[in-house]
Amino acid sequence: MKTVAVVPAAGSGSRMNREVSKQYLSLAGKPVLVHTLEALEACPGVESLCVVVAPQDLSTVRDEVLAPWGLRKTAAIVPGGRERQDSVRAGLEAVARDADIVLIHDAVRPFISTELVERCIRAAAETGAAALGVPVKDTVKEVTPDGRIVKTCDRTVIWLAQTPQAFRRDIIERAHREAFRDGFRGTDDTSLVERLGIAARMIPGDYGNIKITTLEDLAVAEVLLRLKATGERRRTNGEGRESAVLRGPMRKRFEP
Ligand code: C5P
């Protein structure tokens, strides 16, 4: 089984109101993108990576991001498109023809673990399509554009989709081809596969696998990185009763 990872990293930093795109912001002295690529390169099941960046960033990423940090599995850098879906489609075109599985992971999720990447790949190999996600913790409302609550959703069946999402190569290529043909726009890749009548497998992910979208997320990321460095943070996926950071007497009081 040969797995290639496609990493969409061609977004602009508009939601952060910053000049620099989120994937290039510094997290403990290293670009977020490098943290993410290092995490993927550490996965034995990932054979190579294809990074999709904004056309104007191609040479900067090659010379100032990939080379200095010695990222060896990153085999291709390709120009992305206007929306995430266009960038992923561009990445898929660069994936080697002999790849069996394509793993798609956002550049702005640097806290992915080897264990979850491998679990996602295994599920995709078994079922054709898989995504990481976590159950929602809050109550979910459906709201009209003018702000009226019309419905409370059954939160026991609502999950938040994360990346990575992994697919058999033929399935994800067909999903993107048909979405492009039909002008369908989805915010993740399983939404394109759902249109083919294929139910992707949901893999319990990790609440710590955050997507760095706003400045608040960057602050959380700094904390998560510090906890990771000291080995304090354990995975919390909503299945268990994990307490993330309790120590000493507090730990004794609260741990089951
Ligand atoms: O914008 P969004 O939150 O959906 O971004 C998720 C990922 O998709 C980010 O890593 C971002 O860089 C990437 N992206 C992309 N091409 C775009 C827009 C977003 O590769 N045109």
Side-chain angles (χ1 to χ4, degrees):
M1 273 286 164
K2 179 172 169 172
T3 300
V4 173
V6 170
V7 182
S12 65
S14 51
R15 269 182 288 190
M16 279 231 195
N17 287 328
R18 288 218 164 175
E19 297 275 303
V20 182
S21 307
K22 298 161 276 185
Q23 62 275 20
Y24 303 126
L25 289 173
S26 172
L27 186 55
K30 214 189 262 188
V32 168
L33 174 63
V34 174
H35 286 277
T36 304
L37 296 177
E38 283 181 345
L40 290 172
E41 289 208 358
C43 301
V46 174
E47 184 156 310
S48 68
L49 277 73
C50 166
V51 190
V52 188
V53 304
Q56 67 274 17
D57 294 336
L58 280 169
S59 58
T60 314
V61 169
R62 192 183 49 238
D63 302 338
E64 293 175 30
V65 177
L66 302 185
W69 268 283
L71 294 156
R72 286 176 227 302
K73 281 193 191 176
T74 303
I77 317 175
V78 302
R82 204 167 56 84
E83 291 182 22
R84 182 187 181 280
Q85 189 174 320
D86 305 312
S87 297
V88 172
R89 194 172 63 251
L92 287 174
E93 280 166 19
V95 167
R97 295 293 90 193
D98 62 345
D100 305 292
I101 303 288
V102 179
L103 180 104
I104 300 167
H105 184 61
D106 287 340
V108 289
R109 288 192 192 266
F111 295 110
I112 189 60
S113 67
T114 298
E115 182 198 339
L116 288 176
V117 168
E118 304 284 332
R119 207 181 288 174
C120 199
I121 293 171
R122 274 200 305 277
E126 277 167 32
T127 66
L132 246 56
V134 286
V136 291
K137 293 185 276 192
D138 297 338
T139 298
V140 180
K141 304 285 189 188
E142 192 179 309
V143 182
T144 61
D146 63 345
R148 278 177 303 116
I149 295 173
V150 287
K151 193 174 141 196
T152 302
C153 307
D154 174 7
R155 72 176 177 188
T156 61
V157 296
I158 307 279
W159 288 59
L160 303 175
Q162 303 178 337
T163 66
Q165 300 186 351
F167 308 90
R168 268 200 354 240
R169 185 166 59 83
D170 56 325
I171 291 177
I172 193 63
E173 284 183 349
R174 183 155 71 92
H176 270 268
R177 210 168 39 241
E178 295 194 8
F180 183 67
R181 183 196 64 198
D182 302 341
F184 175 83
R185 291 276 166 192
T187 49
D188 76 344
D189 298 285
T190 49
S191 59
L192 275 50
V193 167
E194 285 156 28
R195 301 179 71 241
L196 307 179
I198 296 170
R201 169 90 55 87
M202 182 57 94
I203 310 288
D206 178 3
Y207 287 110
N209 178 26
I210 61 165
K211 177 163 129 177
I212 299 178
T213 307
T214 62
L215 278 177
E216 292 81 6
D217 300 329
L218 198 61
V220 172
E222 299 277 358
V223 174
L224 288 173
L225 201 67
R226 274 205 299 280
L227 295 175
K228 196 173 148 193
T230 54
E232 283 181 75
R233 205 183 73 79
R234 285 184 273 157
R235 201 155 59 76
T236 57
N237 63 11
E239 276 188 324
R241 49 195 186 331
E242 186 63 80
S243 56
V245 291
L246 301 182
R247 282 194 293 177
M250 289 284 271
R251 172 150 252 161
K252 283 205 189 71
R253 250 171 72 202
F254 288 111
E255 269 210 336

Coordinates of all heavy atoms in Angstrom, one line a residue, residues 14-96:
S14 N -6.6 35.9 5.5 CA -7.6 36.9 5.6 C -8.4 36.9 7.0 O -8.6 37.9 7.6 CB -8.6 36.8 4.5 OG -9.1 35.5 4.4
R15 N -8.6 35.7 7.5 CA -9.4 35.6 8.7 C -8.6 36.1 10.0 O -9.1 36.4 11.0 CB -10.0 34.2 9.0 CG -11.4 34.1 8.4 CD -11.9 32.8 8.6 NE -11.3 31.7 7.9 CZ -11.7 30.5 7.7 NH1 -12.8 30.1 8.4 NH2 -11.1 29.6 7.0
M16 N -7.3 36.2 9.8 CA -6.5 36.6 10.9 C -6.2 38.1 10.8 O -5.5 38.7 11.7 CB -5.1 35.9 10.9 CG -5.3 34.5 11.5 SD -4.0 34.4 12.8 CE -4.0 32.6 13.0
N17 N -6.6 38.8 9.7 CA -6.2 40.2 9.5 C -4.7 40.4 9.5 O -4.3 41.3 10.1 CB -6.9 41.1 10.5 CG -8.4 41.2 10.2 OD1 -8.8 41.1 9.1 ND2 -9.2 41.3 11.3
R18 N -4.0 39.5 8.9 CA -2.5 39.6 8.9 C -2.0 39.5 7.5 O -2.6 39.0 6.6 CB -1.9 38.4 9.7 CG -2.2 38.5 11.2 CD -1.0 38.0 11.9 NE -1.0 38.4 13.2 CZ -0.1 38.1 14.1 NH1 0.9 37.3 13.7 NH2 -0.1 38.5 15.4
E19 N -0.8 40.1 7.3 CA -0.2 40.0 6.0 C 0.2 38.6 5.7 O 0.1 38.1 4.6 CB 1.1 40.9 6.1 CG 0.8 42.4 6.3 CD 0.5 43.1 5.0 OE1 1.3 43.0 4.1 OE2 -0.6 43.7 4.9
V20 N 0.8 37.9 6.7 CA 1.3 36.6 6.5 C 0.2 35.5 6.7 O -0.6 35.6 7.6 CB 2.4 36.3 7.6 CG1 3.0 34.9 7.4 CG2 3.5 37.4 7.6
S21 N 0.2 34.6 5.7 CA -0.8 33.5 5.8 C -0.6 32.7 7.0 O 0.6 32.5 7.5 CB -0.8 32.7 4.6 OG -0.8 33.5 3.4
K22 N -1.7 32.0 7.5 CA -1.6 31.3 8.8 C -0.5 30.2 8.8 O 0.2 30.0 9.8 CB -2.9 30.6 9.1 CG -4.0 31.6 9.2 CD -5.4 30.9 9.1 CE -5.8 30.9 7.6 NZ -7.2 30.4 7.4
Q23 N -0.3 29.5 7.6 CA 0.6 28.4 7.6 C 2.1 28.9 7.7 O 3.0 28.1 7.9 CB 0.4 27.6 6.3 CG 0.6 28.3 5.0 CD -0.7 29.0 4.5 OE1 -1.6 29.3 5.3 NE2 -0.8 29.3 3.3
Y24 N 2.3 30.2 7.5 CA 3.7 30.7 7.6 C 3.9 31.4 8.9 O 5.1 31.9 9.2 CB 4.0 31.6 6.4 CG 3.8 31.0 5.1 CD1 3.0 31.5 4.1 CD2 4.4 29.8 4.8 CE1 2.8 30.9 2.9 CE2 4.2 29.1 3.6 CZ 3.4 29.7 2.6 OH 3.2 29.1 1.4
L25 N 2.9 31.5 9.8 CA 3.1 32.2 11.1 C 4.1 31.3 11.9 O 4.1 30.1 11.8 CB 1.8 32.3 11.8 CG 0.8 33.4 11.2 CD1 -0.5 33.3 11.9 CD2 1.4 34.8 11.3
S26 N 4.8 32.0 12.8 CA 5.8 31.3 13.6 C 5.1 30.7 14.8 O 4.4 31.4 15.6 CB 6.9 32.3 14.0 OG 7.8 31.7 14.9
L27 N 5.4 29.5 15.1 CA 5.0 28.8 16.3 C 6.3 28.2 16.9 O 6.9 27.4 16.3 CB 4.1 27.6 15.9 CG 3.3 26.8 16.9 CD1 2.5 27.7 17.8 CD2 2.4 25.8 16.3
A28 N 6.7 28.8 18.0 CA 7.9 28.5 18.7 C 9.1 28.6 17.7 O 9.9 27.7 17.7 CB 7.8 27.1 19.3
G29 N 9.1 29.6 16.9 CA 10.3 29.9 16.1 C 10.3 29.1 14.8 O 11.3 29.1 14.0
K30 N 9.2 28.4 14.5 CA 9.2 27.5 13.3 C 7.8 27.8 12.6 O 6.8 27.9 13.3 CB 9.2 26.1 13.7 CG 9.9 25.1 12.9 CD 9.7 23.7 13.3 CE 10.7 23.2 14.2 NZ 10.5 21.7 14.5
P31 N 7.8 27.9 11.2 CA 6.5 28.1 10.6 C 5.5 26.9 10.9 O 5.9 25.8 11.0 CB 6.8 28.1 9.1 CG 8.3 28.4 9.0 CD 8.9 27.8 10.3
V32 N 4.3 27.3 11.0 CA 3.2 26.3 11.3 C 3.3 25.2 10.2 O 3.2 24.0 10.6 CB 1.8 26.9 11.2 CG1 0.7 25.9 11.2 CG2 1.6 27.9 12.4
L33 N 3.6 25.6 9.0 CA 3.6 24.6 7.9 C 4.7 23.5 8.2 O 4.6 22.3 7.9 CB 3.9 25.3 6.6 CG 4.2 24.4 5.3 CD1 3.0 23.5 5.0 CD2 4.6 25.3 4.1
V34 N 5.9 24.0 8.7 CA 7.0 23.0 9.0 C 6.6 22.1 10.1 O 6.8 20.9 10.0 CB 8.3 23.8 9.4 CG1 9.4 22.8 9.8 CG2 8.7 24.6 8.2
H35 N 5.9 22.6 11.1 CA 5.4 21.6 12.2 C 4.5 20.6 11.6 O 4.7 19.4 11.9 CB 4.6 22.4 13.2 CG 5.4 23.3 14.2 ND1 6.0 22.8 15.3 CD2 5.6 24.6 14.1 CE1 6.6 23.8 15.9 NE2 6.4 24.9 15.2
T36 N 3.6 21.0 10.7 CA 2.7 20.0 10.1 C 3.4 19.0 9.2 O 3.2 17.8 9.3 CB 1.6 20.8 9.2 OG1 1.0 21.8 10.1 CG2 0.6 19.9 8.6
L37 N 4.4 19.5 8.3 CA 5.1 18.6 7.4 C 6.0 17.6 8.2 O 6.1 16.5 7.9 CB 5.9 19.4 6.4 CG 5.1 20.3 5.5 CD1 6.1 21.1 4.6 CD2 4.2 19.5 4.6
E38 N 6.6 18.1 9.3 CA 7.4 17.2 10.1 C 6.6 16.1 10.7 O 7.0 15.0 10.8 CB 8.1 18.0 11.3 CG 9.3 18.8 10.8 CD 10.0 19.6 11.9 OE1 9.4 19.8 13.0 OE2 11.1 20.1 11.6
A39 N 5.4 16.5 11.2 CA 4.5 15.5 11.8 C 4.1 14.4 10.8 O 4.1 13.2 11.1 CB 3.2 16.2 12.4
L40 N 3.8 14.8 9.5 CA 3.5 13.9 8.5 C 4.7 13.0 8.1 O 4.6 11.8 7.8 CB 2.9 14.6 7.3 CG 1.5 15.2 7.5 CD1 1.1 16.0 6.3 CD2 0.4 14.1 7.8
E41 N 5.8 13.7 8.0 CA 7.1 13.0 7.5 C 7.4 11.9 8.6 O 8.1 10.9 8.2 CB 8.2 14.0 7.3 CG 8.0 14.8 6.1 CD 9.4 15.3 5.5 OE1 10.4 14.9 6.0 OE2 9.3 15.9 4.4
A42 N 7.0 12.1 9.8 CA 7.4 11.2 10.9 C 6.5 9.9 10.8 O 6.8 8.9 11.5 CB 7.2 11.8 12.2
C43 N 5.5 9.9 9.9 CA 4.6 8.7 9.8 C 5.2 7.7 8.9 O 5.3 8.0 7.7 CB 3.2 9.1 9.3 SG 2.4 10.4 10.4
P44 N 5.5 6.5 9.4 CA 6.1 5.5 8.5 C 5.2 5.1 7.3 O 5.7 4.8 6.2 CB 6.3 4.3 9.4 CG 6.2 4.8 10.8 CD 5.4 6.0 10.7
G45 N 3.9 5.2 7.5 CA 3.0 4.9 6.4 C 2.9 5.9 5.3 O 2.3 5.6 4.2
V46 N 3.4 7.1 5.5 CA 3.3 8.1 4.5 C 4.6 8.1 3.7 O 5.7 8.3 4.2 CB 3.1 9.5 5.1 CG1 3.2 10.6 4.0 CG2 1.8 9.6 5.8
E47 N 4.5 7.8 2.4 CA 5.7 7.6 1.6 C 6.3 8.9 1.1 O 7.5 9.1 1.1 CB 5.4 6.7 0.4 CG 6.7 6.4 -0.4 CD 6.6 5.1 -1.2 OE1 6.2 4.1 -0.6 OE2 6.9 5.2 -2.4
S48 N 5.4 9.8 0.6 CA 5.9 11.1 0.2 C 4.8 12.1 0.3 O 3.6 11.8 0.6 CB 6.3 11.1 -1.3 OG 5.2 10.8 -2.1
L49 N 5.2 13.4 0.2 CA 4.2 14.5 0.4 C 4.2 15.4 -0.8 O 5.2 15.6 -1.4 CB 4.6 15.3 1.6 CG 4.3 14.9 3.0 CD1 5.1 13.7 3.4 CD2 4.5 16.0 4.0
C50 N 3.0 16.0 -1.1 CA 2.9 17.0 -2.1 C 2.3 18.2 -1.4 O 1.2 18.1 -0.9 CB 2.0 16.4 -3.2 SG 1.4 17.7 -4.3
V51 N 3.0 19.3 -1.4 CA 2.5 20.5 -0.8 C 2.0 21.5 -1.8 O 2.6 21.7 -2.9 CB 3.7 21.3 0.0 CG1 3.1 22.4 0.9 CG2 4.4 20.3 0.9
V52 N 0.8 22.0 -1.5 CA 0.2 22.9 -2.5 C 0.2 24.3 -1.9 O -0.3 24.6 -0.8 CB -1.3 22.5 -2.7 CG1 -1.9 23.4 -3.9 CG2 -1.4 21.1 -3.0
V53 N 0.9 25.3 -2.6 CA 1.1 26.6 -2.1 C 0.6 27.6 -3.1 O 0.4 27.3 -4.3 CB 2.5 26.9 -1.7 CG1 3.0 25.9 -0.7 CG2 3.5 26.9 -2.9
A54 N 0.4 28.9 -2.7 CA 0.0 29.9 -3.6 C 1.1 30.1 -4.7 O 2.3 30.0 -4.3 CB -0.2 31.2 -2.8
P55 N 0.7 30.3 -5.9 CA 1.7 30.4 -7.0 C 2.9 31.3 -6.7 O 4.0 31.0 -7.0 CB 0.9 30.9 -8.2 CG -0.5 30.5 -7.9 CD -0.7 30.5 -6.4
Q56 N 2.6 32.5 -6.0 CA 3.7 33.4 -5.8 C 4.6 33.0 -4.7 O 5.7 33.6 -4.5 CB 3.1 34.8 -5.4 CG 2.3 34.9 -4.1 CD 0.8 34.5 -4.3 OE1 0.4 33.9 -5.2 NE2 0.0 34.9 -3.3
D57 N 4.2 31.9 -3.9 CA 5.1 31.4 -2.8 C 5.9 30.2 -3.2 O 6.7 29.7 -2.3 CB 4.2 31.0 -1.6 CG 3.4 32.2 -1.0 OD1 3.9 33.4 -1.2 OD2 2.4 32.0 -0.4
L58 N 5.8 29.7 -4.4 CA 6.5 28.5 -4.8 C 8.0 28.5 -4.4 O 8.5 27.6 -3.7 CB 6.3 28.2 -6.3 CG 5.0 27.6 -6.7 CD1 4.8 27.6 -8.2 CD2 4.9 26.1 -6.2
S59 N 8.7 29.5 -4.9 CA 10.2 29.4 -4.7 C 10.5 29.7 -3.3 O 11.5 29.2 -2.7 CB 10.9 30.4 -5.7 OG 10.4 31.7 -5.5
T60 N 9.8 30.6 -2.6 CA 10.0 30.9 -1.2 C 9.9 29.7 -0.4 O 10.7 29.4 0.5 CB 9.1 32.0 -0.7 OG1 9.0 33.0 -1.6 CG2 9.5 32.6 0.6
V61 N 8.8 28.9 -0.6 CA 8.6 27.7 0.2 C 9.7 26.7 -0.1 O 10.2 26.1 0.9 CB 7.2 27.1 -0.1 CG1 7.1 25.7 0.5 CG2 6.1 28.0 0.4
R62 N 10.1 26.6 -1.3 CA 11.2 25.6 -1.6 C 12.5 26.0 -1.0 O 13.1 25.2 -0.3 CB 11.4 25.5 -3.1 CG 12.2 24.3 -3.6 CD 12.4 24.3 -5.1 NE 12.9 25.6 -5.6 CZ 12.3 26.3 -6.5 NH1 11.2 25.8 -7.1 NH2 12.7 27.5 -6.9
D63 N 12.9 27.3 -1.1 CA 14.2 27.7 -0.6 C 14.2 28.1 0.9 O 15.2 27.9 1.5 CB 14.6 28.9 -1.4 CG 14.7 28.6 -2.9 OD1 14.8 27.4 -3.3 OD2 14.6 29.5 -3.7
E64 N 13.1 28.6 1.4 CA 13.2 29.1 2.7 C 12.4 28.3 3.8 O 12.5 28.5 4.9 CB 12.7 30.6 2.8 CG 13.6 31.5 2.0 CD 13.0 32.9 1.9 OE1 12.3 33.3 2.8 OE2 13.3 33.6 0.9
V65 N 11.6 27.3 3.3 CA 10.9 26.5 4.2 C 11.3 25.0 4.1 O 11.8 24.5 5.1 CB 9.3 26.6 3.9 CG1 8.6 25.7 4.9 CG2 8.9 28.0 4.1
L66 N 11.2 24.4 2.9 CA 11.5 23.0 2.8 C 13.0 22.7 3.0 O 13.4 21.9 3.8 CB 11.0 22.4 1.5 CG 9.5 22.6 1.3 CD1 9.1 21.9 0.0 CD2 8.7 22.0 2.4
A67 N 13.9 23.4 2.3 CA 15.3 23.2 2.3 C 15.9 23.4 3.7 O 16.5 22.5 4.3 CB 16.1 24.0 1.3
P68 N 15.7 24.6 4.3 CA 16.4 24.8 5.6 C 15.9 23.8 6.7 O 16.7 23.5 7.6 CB 15.9 26.2 6.0 CG 15.4 26.8 4.8 CD 15.0 25.7 3.9
W69 N 14.7 23.3 6.6 CA 14.3 22.4 7.7 C 14.5 20.9 7.3 O 14.0 20.0 8.0 CB 12.8 22.7 8.1 CG 12.8 23.6 9.3 CD1 13.1 23.3 10.6 CD2 12.6 25.0 9.2 NE1 13.0 24.4 11.4 CE2 12.7 25.5 10.6 CE3 12.3 25.9 8.2 CZ2 12.5 26.9 10.9 CZ3 12.1 27.3 8.6 CH2 12.2 27.7 9.9
G70 N 15.1 20.7 6.2 CA 15.5 19.3 5.8 C 14.3 18.4 5.7 O 14.3 17.2 6.2
L71 N 13.2 18.8 5.0 CA 12.0 18.0 4.8 C 12.2 17.1 3.6 O 12.1 17.6 2.5 CB 10.8 18.9 4.7 CG 10.5 19.7 6.0 CD1 9.7 20.9 5.8 CD2 9.8 18.8 7.0
R72 N 12.5 15.9 3.8 CA 13.0 15.0 2.7 C 11.9 14.3 2.0 O 12.1 13.9 0.9 CB 14.0 14.0 3.3 CG 15.3 14.6 3.6 CD 16.3 13.7 4.2 NE 17.0 14.2 5.3 CZ 17.7 15.4 5.3 NH1 17.9 16.1 4.2 NH2 18.3 15.8 6.4
K73 N 10.8 14.0 2.7 CA 9.7 13.3 2.0 C 8.8 14.1 1.1 O 8.0 13.7 0.4 CB 8.8 12.6 3.1 CG 9.4 11.3 3.7 CD 8.2 10.6 4.5 CE 8.7 9.5 5.4 NZ 7.6 9.0 6.1
T74 N 9.0 15.5 1.2 CA 8.2 16.4 0.4 C 8.7 16.4 -1.0 O 9.7 17.1 -1.3 CB 8.2 17.8 1.1 OG1 7.7 17.6 2.4 CG2 7.2 18.7 0.3
A75 N 8.0 15.6 -1.8 CA 8.5 15.3 -3.2 C 8.1 16.4 -4.2 O 8.7 16.6 -5.2 CB 8.1 14.0 -3.6
A76 N 6.9 17.0 -4.0 CA 6.4 18.0 -5.0 C 5.9 19.2 -4.3 O 5.3 19.1 -3.2 CB 5.4 17.3 -5.8
I77 N 6.1 20.4 -5.0 CA 5.4 21.6 -4.5 C 4.6 22.1 -5.8 O 5.2 22.2 -6.8 CB 6.4 22.7 -4.1 CG1 7.5 22.2 -3.3 CG2 5.7 23.8 -3.4 CD1 8.6 23.2 -3.0
V78 N 3.3 22.3 -5.6 CA 2.5 22.7 -6.8 C 1.7 23.9 -6.5 O 1.4 24.2 -5.3 CB 1.6 21.5 -7.3 CG1 2.4 20.3 -7.6 CG2 0.5 21.2 -6.3
P79 N 1.4 24.7 -7.5 CA 0.6 25.9 -7.3 C -0.9 25.6 -7.0 O -1.5 24.7 -7.7 CB 0.8 26.7 -8.6 CG 1.2 25.7 -9.6 CD 1.8 24.6 -8.9
G80 N -1.4 26.3 -6.0 CA -2.8 26.0 -5.7 C -3.8 26.9 -6.4 O -3.4 27.6 -7.4
G81 N -5.1 26.9 -6.0 CA -6.1 27.6 -6.7 C -6.8 28.6 -5.8 O -6.4 28.8 -4.7
R82 N -8.0 29.1 -6.2 CA -8.7 30.1 -5.5 C -9.3 29.6 -4.2 O -9.2 30.3 -3.2 CB -9.8 30.6 -6.4 CG -10.3 32.0 -6.1 CD -11.2 32.5 -7.3 NE -12.3 31.6 -7.5 CZ -13.5 31.7 -6.9 NH1 -13.7 32.6 -5.9 NH2 -14.5 30.9 -7.2
E83 N -9.9 28.4 -4.2 CA -10.4 27.9 -2.9 C -9.7 26.6 -2.6 O -9.0 26.0 -3.4 CB -11.9 27.6 -3.1 CG -12.7 28.9 -3.2 CD -14.2 28.7 -3.4 OE1 -14.7 27.6 -3.0 OE2 -14.9 29.6 -3.9
R84 N -9.9 26.1 -1.4 CA -9.2 24.9 -0.9 C -9.4 23.8 -1.9 O -8.5 23.0 -2.2 CB -9.7 24.6 0.5 CG -9.1 23.3 1.1 CD -9.7 22.9 2.4 NE -9.1 21.8 3.0 CZ -9.3 20.5 2.6 NH1 -10.2 20.3 1.6 NH2 -8.7 19.5 3.2
Q85 N -10.7 23.6 -2.3 CA -11.0 22.5 -3.2 C -10.2 22.5 -4.5 O -9.7 21.5 -5.0 CB -12.5 22.6 -3.5 CG -13.0 21.3 -4.3 CD -14.5 21.4 -4.4 OE1 -15.2 21.8 -3.5 NE2 -15.1 21.0 -5.5
D86 N -9.9 23.8 -5.0 CA -9.1 23.9 -6.2 C -7.7 23.5 -5.9 O -7.0 22.9 -6.7 CB -9.1 25.4 -6.7 CG -10.6 25.9 -6.9 OD1 -11.3 25.1 -7.6 OD2 -10.9 26.9 -6.4
S87 N -7.2 23.9 -4.7 CA -5.8 23.5 -4.4 C -5.7 22.0 -4.2 O -4.7 21.4 -4.7 CB -5.4 24.2 -3.0 OG -5.5 25.6 -3.2
V88 N -6.7 21.4 -3.6 CA -6.6 19.9 -3.4 C -6.6 19.2 -4.8 O -5.8 18.3 -5.0 CB -7.7 19.4 -2.5 CG1 -7.7 17.8 -2.5 CG2 -7.6 19.9 -1.1
R89 N -7.4 19.7 -5.7 CA -7.5 19.1 -7.0 C -6.2 19.3 -7.7 O -5.7 18.3 -8.4 CB -8.6 19.8 -7.8 CG -9.0 19.1 -9.1 CD -10.2 19.7 -9.8 NE -10.0 21.0 -10.2 CZ -10.6 22.1 -9.7 NH1 -11.4 22.0 -8.7 NH2 -10.3 23.3 -10.1
A90 N -5.5 20.4 -7.6 CA -4.2 20.6 -8.2 C -3.2 19.6 -7.5 O -2.3 19.0 -8.2 CB -3.7 22.0 -7.9
G91 N -3.3 19.4 -6.2 CA -2.4 18.5 -5.6 C -2.6 17.0 -6.1 O -1.6 16.3 -6.3
L92 N -3.9 16.7 -6.2 CA -4.2 15.3 -6.7 C -3.5 15.0 -8.1 O -3.1 13.9 -8.3 CB -5.7 15.1 -6.8 CG -6.5 15.0 -5.5 CD1 -8.0 14.9 -5.8 CD2 -6.0 13.8 -4.7
E93 N -3.5 16.0 -8.9 CA -2.9 15.8 -10.2 C -1.4 15.5 -10.2 O -0.9 14.9 -11.1 CB -3.2 17.1 -11.1 CG -4.6 17.1 -11.7 CD -5.0 18.5 -12.2 OE1 -4.1 19.3 -12.5 OE2 -6.2 18.7 -12.3
A94 N -0.8 15.9 -9.1 CA 0.6 15.7 -8.9 C 1.0 14.4 -8.2 O 2.1 14.1 -8.0 CB 1.3 16.9 -8.2
V95 N -0.1 13.7 -7.7 CA 0.2 12.5 -7.0 C 0.6 11.3 -7.9 O 0.0 11.2 -9.0 CB -1.1 12.1 -6.2 CG1 -1.0 10.6 -5.7 CG2 -1.4 13.0 -5.1
A96 N 1.6 10.6 -7.6 CA 2.1 9.5 -8.4 C 1.0 8.5 -8.8 O 0.2 8.2 -7.9 CB 3.3 8.8 -7.7

